[in-house]
Amino acid sequence: MDKRKTVQALFAFTTNAHVQGFLKGKIYRGKLKNVCVPGLNCYSCPGALGACPIGAMQAVEGSTKYGISMYVLGFLVFAGLLAGRFVCGWLCPFGLVQELLHKIPLRKIRMPKKVNSILKWVKYFILLIFVILLPILTVDSFGLSTPYFCKYICPAGTLEGGLPLLLLNKSLRTAVGFLFSWKLLILILVIAASIVIFRPFCRYLCPLGAFYSFFNSVSLYRYQIDSSKCIKCGKCSGSCKMDIDVCKKPNSPECIRCGACVRACPTGAISGTLKKKEKACGKITESP
């Protein structure tokens, strides 16, 4: 197991270390649940010790008392400014699940550039509509709203929360209806897609990845290319499973900082650094 996979596994275990929850089928509701984790990790997972920032944001947005959580928004902005989508590549448990599924030895699909360039915008639509607007605009007479993304879309919630709780609680199994079947269908489709496409949920559906992507080019940690070393061989782009033209856009909004391009570069021209200057092929530009 490489360093990144080790970090992913350790972080997934640490943030879901409430073992008693899996044994008893009960959700941890202690003080740690008031703290957000950076990646997509379902609040309802029996082992979850922290709160998912997307779920937390929707819960507060759906309250007439608060409207928006400055804590959750501040946490997300801080994580974004610090590392951008490094969170996606190194700290998100559901990202790890997709990568492990992709290791199943079946023929892989590389999405055509035109299709990929269109589908990547879906996650921004989901962020805007299902995470921000609907929870704010559909508050009922009691001052409550529905966490639309969690309830109707999120496959991580079904995998980490829904399925374990159903398996551990017989009473819940008798209450399963259409909504769970719909969520299970989404999960099955994401699992099937993950086997043949690298991280399809992260690419096309994840609102958390969409939020972090806004900070990729300005985050404290980002990729840089030393133009004096770059020989423009294209090996960096060829190794990128997110289909990024690394030489032209090393800090693309789609980059999850997995490091594949760094390892593929024969001259060591690419590096992940905290420096203030970003070097692209053929020029050096000041970062914002």
Side-chain angles (χ1 to χ4, degrees), residues 125-147:
F125 173 83
I126 291 174
L127 173 64
L128 178 63
I129 303 299
F130 288 88
V131 177
I132 299 175
L133 292 182
L134 285 178
I136 291 177
L137 298 176
T138 60
V139 178
D140 62 23
S141 58
F142 296 100
L144 300 174
S145 182
T146 299

Side-chain angles (χ1 to χ4, degrees), residues 97-140:
V97 170
Q98 293 173 82
E99 289 191 26
L100 293 176
L101 288 168
H102 196 66
K103 288 186 175 295
I104 295 175
L106 292 176
R107 186 177 179 180
K108 309 305 177 186
I109 297 174
R110 195 138 190 174
M111 296 295 285
K113 288 186 177 181
K114 288 185 177 179
V115 175
N116 186 65
S117 64
I118 295 173
L119 290 181
K120 70 180 182 182
W121 293 103
V122 175
K123 60 181 177 290
Y124 298 99
F125 173 83
I126 291 174
L127 173 64
L128 178 63
I129 303 299
F130 288 88
V131 177
I132 299 175
L133 292 182
L134 285 178
I136 291 177
L137 298 176
T138 60
V139 178
D140 62 23

Side-chain angles (χ1 to χ4, degrees), residues 69-101:
S69 171
M70 297 308 295
Y71 158 67
V72 179
L73 182 60
F75 173 82
L76 288 172
V77 170
F78 174 77
L81 287 173
L82 185 65
R85 292 195 72 180
F86 176 92
V87 174
C88 305
W90 290 74
L91 303 180
C92 182
F94 197 63
L96 173 61
V97 170
Q98 293 173 82
E99 289 191 26
L100 293 176
L101 288 168

Side-chain angles (χ1 to χ4, degrees), residues 23-75:
L23 298 176
K24 297 180 179 181
K26 294 183 178 180
I27 300 172
Y28 169 75
R29 300 183 186 277
K31 292 183 178 180
L32 286 175
K33 268 290 171 69
N34 295 323
V35 180
C36 288
V37 296
L40 198 73
N41 194 65
C42 186
Y43 180 100
S44 297
C45 174
L49 293 175
C52 172
I54 293 296
M57 179 65 76
Q58 292 175 99
V60 179
E61 285 172 345
S63 168
T64 55
K65 182 178 179 181
Y66 297 104
I68 190 169
S69 171
M70 297 308 295
Y71 158 67
V72 179
L73 182 60
F75 173 82

